[in-house]
Amino acid sequence: DAQVSDIISSYPSVLVCRPQKTLLPKIEFFQSAGFSTVDIAKVLSSGGSLLTRSLETQIVPSLNALRDLFTSYQDLVCPIKRCPGILTRRFQSLMLANIEFLRKVGVPEPNILNLLKSQPRLLVRPCDVLKESVEELEKMGLNPQDGCFARCLWRMASIDKKIWREKMALYERWGCSENEVLIAFKK
């Protein structure tokens, strides 16, 4: 009941959808894709807009693209449960472009996939935002092939640039060198 209430309050347009034509096919699709009932409830209640999206042009192609990246069901479901919006058109336009960008700069595939599982929202940000964060980390001396690069990328991209500069200035006023800040940042 609580999940239904959440969906309706966030996406009232779901009330005018035809259950047999719009809602049921999506639920059946997730079941056929191997999602458990609990996972389906979690995905649909936290990403209610999926109920109003096209199954054929958005959800199925996006899920297939994720299947190409992950080998296990658990790995596939993890980013979807964290960010159901990755099953929309935005997934293909932004996330795949960002993944390709990270590959080009040298971030190892396992690190990209771990980032996708743990922080999928990072990879649906505009490409220029991600690129700017990568460039900033490289200026700080971080190597994209380093294991902590993906974690640092998430931290840097999740903070407003103005706030980031203010924090760096504060650390410097406390007497920390840029290298000391970088070491702490890697942890």
Side-chain angles (χ1 to χ4, degrees):
D1 286 344
Q3 291 169 328
V4 170
S5 178
D6 288 345
I7 292 170
I8 292 170
S9 64
S10 298
Y11 301 95
S13 60
V14 89
L15 290 173
V16 296
C17 293
R18 293 188 199 149
Q20 296 298 323
K21 185 176 180 182
T22 307
L23 306 178
L24 184 60
K26 290 177 180 87
I27 293 169
E28 289 173 341
F29 168 73
F30 283 113
Q31 287 174 331
S32 71
F35 282 65
S36 70
T37 305
V38 173
D39 287 342
I40 293 171
K42 168 92 169 128
V43 168
L44 295 180
S45 65
S46 60
S49 68
L50 287 178
L51 292 172
T52 60
R53 302 297 176 126
S54 169
L55 186 61
E56 293 79 23
T57 63
Q58 293 185 27
I59 297 172
V60 171
S62 296
L63 185 68
N64 288 338
L66 276 172
R67 276 190 181 136
D68 291 342
L69 295 170
F70 294 111
T71 55
S72 78
Y73 168 76
Q74 288 299 62
D75 289 346
L76 171 69
V77 172
C78 188
I80 296 170
K81 285 172 35 177
R82 286 181 180 270
C83 181
I86 66 174
L87 291 179
T88 64
R89 198 175 295 138
R90 185 176 192 157
F91 170 78
Q92 292 181 356
S93 64
L94 287 176
M95 188 172 286
L96 294 177
N98 283 332
I99 288 171
E100 189 56 36
F101 169 71
L102 291 175
R103 287 175 179 151
K104 284 182 182 176
V105 298
V107 178
E109 193 74 14
N111 296 357
I112 294 172
L113 295 179
N114 283 336
L115 191 59
L116 178 56
K117 286 188 293 189
S118 64
Q119 301 301 328
R121 282 181 177 81
L122 171 65
L123 296 175
V124 293
R125 291 186 177 198
C127 296
D128 58 330
V129 172
L130 190 68
K131 182 179 180 183
E132 185 180 306
S133 296
V134 166
E135 289 171 352
E136 187 70 30
L137 289 174
E138 288 177 329
K139 282 182 196 172
M140 293 172 70
L142 282 172
N143 182 345
Q145 295 180 350
D146 190 359
C148 70
F149 188 86
R151 285 191 319 271
C152 293
L153 177 62
W154 167 71
R155 286 183 178 138
M156 176 166 278
S158 65
I159 200 167
D160 181 79
K161 297 302 173 213
K162 181 182 177 210
I163 293 171
W164 172 261
R165 286 189 293 271
E166 290 172 358
K167 284 185 175 196
M168 293 302 288
L170 179 66
Y171 291 136
E172 287 174 9
R173 282 196 305 266
W174 286 344
C176 297
S177 70
E178 186 175 313
N179 193 38
E180 289 171 322
V181 172
L182 182 60
I183 290 169
F185 188 64
K186 287 181 178 182
K187 294 180 181 178

